[in-house]
Amino acid sequence: MSHDSMNLMIGGEAGQGLVTVGQVLAKALVKSGYHILVTQDYMSRVRGGHNTFTIRFSSQKLDSPCEGVDLLVALNQQTLDLHAGELNPDSAVVAETGFTCGQAPCLNVPYEELADKRYLNTVALGVAASLLGLERELVAQTLEAAIGKKKGDKVVEENNQALEKAFAWAQGQTHTLKPPAPAQAGEKRMMLGGNQAIALGALAAGLKFLAFYPMTPSTAIALTVISHAEQMGVVYEQAEDEIAAINMALGASYAGAPAMVCTSGGGYALMTEGVSLAGMTETPLVIAVAMRPGPATGLPTRTEQGDLLFALHGGHGEFPRAILAPGSVKQCFAAGYQALHLAEKYQTPVFILTDQFLADSLRALEPLDLSGLSPVRPGGGGAEGEDYRRYEITEGGVSPRRLPGLGPELVVADSDEHDQEGHITEDLELRVRMQDKRMAKMKGLVADTQAPEFSGPEDADTLLVSWGSSQGPVAEAARRLAEEGQSVATCHFGQVWPLAPAQFAQRFKKAGQVVVIEGNATGQFAGLLKKEAGIAAQRFIGRYDGLNLTPEYILRQLAS
């Protein structure tokens, strides 16, 4: 057990039901009052391979996953072979009778004596839940909700019987597992993942159209929107490819429907021409990019922060854009909401950058506060009738946007350079004025840039800098160093473009050394800081082996 928390890892092959077991356990822990942080590691295949579902839980709020395992639920021998070396002191292992546990403190469960082989994962769930001290009735209710009514009463009853026998068997076993202090039950909370939160944030902002082509790890954004589409009046389309998806979204947005696409690195590569079209036609559009290790298909189910500069520069030509990079599930909701509003306000593409770790990471959250939130109101402003000019040159670069068919105004769009009415032109002097008009939006985007979050002393010896999903591991690493008496502060960027150096440059100058920590090989954000703010970090710590950053990884690198 580490820092008043416990790490539970369930390992096995795809198809063994480990995600079902993990999600039921995670929900039961949340209902019992615990805070959780889930990390999912899975191979790029439908069945087989080695996958893990890890839940860190505590009575205290958690920022990050951590290394080490306190309870290992091994659904196959490979899990024992790969992870027995990660066990912490006083840990326990749940494995089937006949598995080779070596020196691991193993509880060999007679699965087939307790239930039909169809319910082996339910037996594993019951044994693990009992060892953690969870109430059987609560776990049973959570399992029944997960199974759903489609499976029928007979399946529910047989699962319940398997669960009951597993609990009874586990209560007769001896082990040294010591779950964290009892949590405060009764607090109303829910379990939510990063992708789900992005989708809910966009829905809260009035999303009305979503197009996508399925691509791990972004697909859950679309699935969440689809699950609420009828209730929220959203039109969605699984397109034939990413090129079609982004162009469908552009058409919807042009007609007045707040629109979003979601994809991952390879899919975004196909979308870039559409991004450029959004820039030229000044069409509001949100692009959610869930990063994974590349190049090409790379490690399609693993995590990395390698597409920051790709999101910044994707699309030919120069046009304004904003890039949000939430660091937690709660921030994912805020990013989904803010992105739609920014896109509409500045009539330009806005990106949300997440990654597999954050996309699949489940957390316990208090109900989201929807008070004060308002939906996007597309269109409006400018002269009426024949005096209306879609691309009128304004001081801030934002032109009046009327919606086609909703008034007498002629609404014209053109991917070629155009005049203020929207008609094609090769007047080179006008080209300069129109480009200056579009780029003038950057001033407003900079003014609206979300300030980075600082924590710790202003004149700390070390300032640890993070963006996106690296926030939590960096925050916990800093806390551990502070507990050792070191002078450490943190700075997290939830928006990585545009940067507003006035918000952070002076604070950086007060730090003894600046260390940028991110999930890529080349220090993309560290380079951006140097280019845009003239801040050269003394150190860069990168991770690009497909795994998420952890406090332990950061501390090892700092000490090296």
Side-chain angles (χ1 to χ4, degrees):
M1 197 165 74
S2 174
H3 295 263
D4 301 322
S5 67
M6 179 170 279
N7 245 8
L8 158 65
M9 176 186 284
I10 307 161
E13 296 181 1
Q16 286 191 296
L18 68 91
V19 173
T20 302
V21 173
Q23 289 186 340
V24 171
L25 268 175
K27 281 187 179 178
L29 287 164
V30 173
K31 290 178 179 178
S32 299
Y34 287 102
H35 292 273
I36 64 161
L37 198 151
V38 170
T39 308
Q40 300 187 56
D41 185 69
Y42 47 94
M43 300 182 75
S44 178
R45 57 188 71 176
V46 177
R47 294 188 70 86
H50 176 66
N51 305 324
T52 60
F53 188 104
T54 304
I55 309 169
R56 186 185 184 191
F57 67 96
S58 172
S59 57
Q60 309 296 318
K61 288 188 177 180
L62 297 168
D63 289 323
S64 169
C66 69
E67 298 175 6
V69 178
D70 299 294
L71 175 57
L72 178 62
V73 180
L75 298 181
N76 61 3
Q77 181 63 48
Q78 188 182 22
T79 299
L80 282 165
D81 297 340
L82 291 174
H83 300 288
E86 301 171 29
L87 292 169
N88 292 324
D90 297 323
S91 58
V93 176
V94 175
E96 186 171 3
T97 301
F99 284 5
T100 303
C101 296
Q103 299 298 315
C106 204
L107 295 175
N108 289 112
V109 184
Y111 280 95
E112 295 192 9
E113 293 178 16
L114 297 175
D116 184 90
K117 62 181 180 181
R118 292 176 295 169
Y119 305 117
L120 298 188
N121 61 341
T122 301
V123 173
L125 167 66
V127 173
S130 176
L131 296 178
L132 297 178
L134 299 178
E135 294 180 11
R136 191 194 66 79
E137 187 61 29
L138 184 148
V139 178
Q141 291 171 358
T142 308
L143 177 62
E144 183 175 342
I147 294 171
K149 295 181 180 179
K150 290 183 179 178
K151 297 280 187 180
D153 293 340
K154 185 172 182 290
V155 173
V156 171
E157 179 56 30
E158 289 175 346
N159 269 284
N160 199 28
Q161 289 174 4
L163 190 72
E164 188 171 351
K165 288 182 180 179
F167 260 82
W169 182 88
Q171 286 170 2
Q173 305 303 310
T174 301
H175 61 86
T176 58
L177 200 65
K178 298 174 183 176
Q184 293 180 355
E187 188 180 358
K188 193 174 182 180
R189 291 175 306 156
M190 58 184 177
M191 189 172 80
L192 201 65
N195 275 354
Q196 294 169 302
I198 288 172
L200 294 177
L203 289 169
L207 179 74
K208 290 302 175 190
F209 183 83
L210 176 127
F212 71 107
Y213 182 81
M215 193 167 191
T216 303
S218 67
T219 308
I221 296 173
L223 297 180
T224 304
V225 170
I226 291 169
S227 68
H228 298 282
E230 183 174 355
Q231 181 183 9
M232 301 296 290
V234 178
V235 175
Y236 59 89
E237 178 72 20
Q238 179 179 323
E240 62 268 35
D241 58 35
E242 287 86 350
I243 299 172
I246 194 166
N247 284 298
M248 288 177 183
L250 283 170
S253 181
Y254 169 74
M260 179 169 76
V261 294
C262 56
T263 188
S264 298
Y268 174 56
L270 294 173
M271 288 183 173
T272 52
E273 187 174 6
V275 173
S276 185
L277 180 60
M280 176 55 101
T281 59
E282 304 187 48
T283 305
L285 183 65
V286 173
I287 304 109
V289 180
M291 297 177 285
R292 63 191 206 184
T297 43
L299 294 171
T301 61
R302 307 306 170 104
T303 197
E304 197 164 285
Q305 292 180 293
D307 291 336
L308 166 56
L309 296 183
F310 185 29
L312 177 56
H313 298 297
H316 49 291
E318 299 171 303
F319 51 92
R321 68 185 79 191
I323 304 175
L324 309 180
S328 67
V329 171
K330 191 172 182 179
Q331 289 179 18
C332 284
F333 176 83
Y337 177 82
Q338 185 189 7
L340 259 75
H341 280 275
L342 274 178
E344 181 63 34
K345 182 176 181 180
Y346 292 102
Q347 300 175 23
T348 201
V350 174
F351 293 79
I352 301 171
L353 278 186
T354 182
D355 52 54
Q356 180 270 330
F357 160 59
L358 184 56
D360 291 335
S361 185
L362 302 170
R363 319 278 174 102
L365 291 183
E366 296 173 359
L368 298 166
D369 183 8
L370 303 181
S371 61
L373 302 186
S374 58
V376 167
R377 305 290 184 193
E384 297 182 350
E386 294 181 355
D387 294 330
Y388 171 72
R389 295 188 296 181
R390 169 65 185 95
Y391 299 108
E392 181 177 337
I393 295 174
T394 64
E395 184 178 353
V398 179
S399 303
R401 187 167 97 94
R402 296 298 178 93
L403 304 180
L406 297 183
E409 294 79 17
L410 180 63
V411 182
V412 179
D414 200 317
S415 66
D416 285 77
E417 189 56 271
H418 41 258
D419 60 20
Q420 295 187 67
E421 284 74 28
H423 299 299
I424 187 171
T425 182
E426 293 199 30
D427 180 330
L428 302 186
E429 185 275 333
L430 180 57
R431 149 70 183 183
V432 173
R433 294 175 62 205
M434 295 303 289
Q435 178 68 354
D436 288 346
K437 178 199 100 67
R438 288 189 289 269
M439 295 307 296
K441 298 177 188 177
M442 285 304 299
K443 186 175 180 180
L445 282 167
V446 170
D448 281 344
T449 293
Q450 176 187 142
E453 298 176 10
F454 284 93
S455 178
E458 288 197 4
D459 56 350
D461 293 342
T462 302
L463 177 63
L464 303 180
V465 180
S466 64
W467 65 275
S469 68
S470 60
Q471 180 187 29
V474 167
E476 182 159 334
R479 274 200 302 274
R480 294 189 193 184
L481 290 170
E483 288 170 2
E484 296 173 358
Q486 297 193 38
S487 173
V488 181
T490 63
C491 176
H492 173 71
F493 286 80
Q495 181 170 349
V496 290
W497 187 262
L499 294 175
Q503 295 174 336
F504 57 86
Q506 289 302 316
R507 183 77 179 263
F508 274 54
K509 290 178 181 177
K510 294 179 181 177
Q513 68 165 339
V514 174
V515 182
V516 179
I517 301 166
E518 51 187 314
N520 57 56
T522 56
Q524 295 186 20
F525 187 66
L528 206 56
L529 273 178
K530 186 175 182 180
K531 176 176 178 288
E532 296 298 320
I535 295 171
Q538 280 74 31
R539 288 193 65 183
F540 155 66
I541 294 176
R543 186 166 200 177
Y544 45 95
D545 57 2
L547 300 177
N548 54 276
L549 286 159
T550 63
E552 293 85 357
Y553 180 89
I554 295 168
L555 294 175
R556 284 195 298 271
Q557 296 299 313
L558 284 171
S560 65

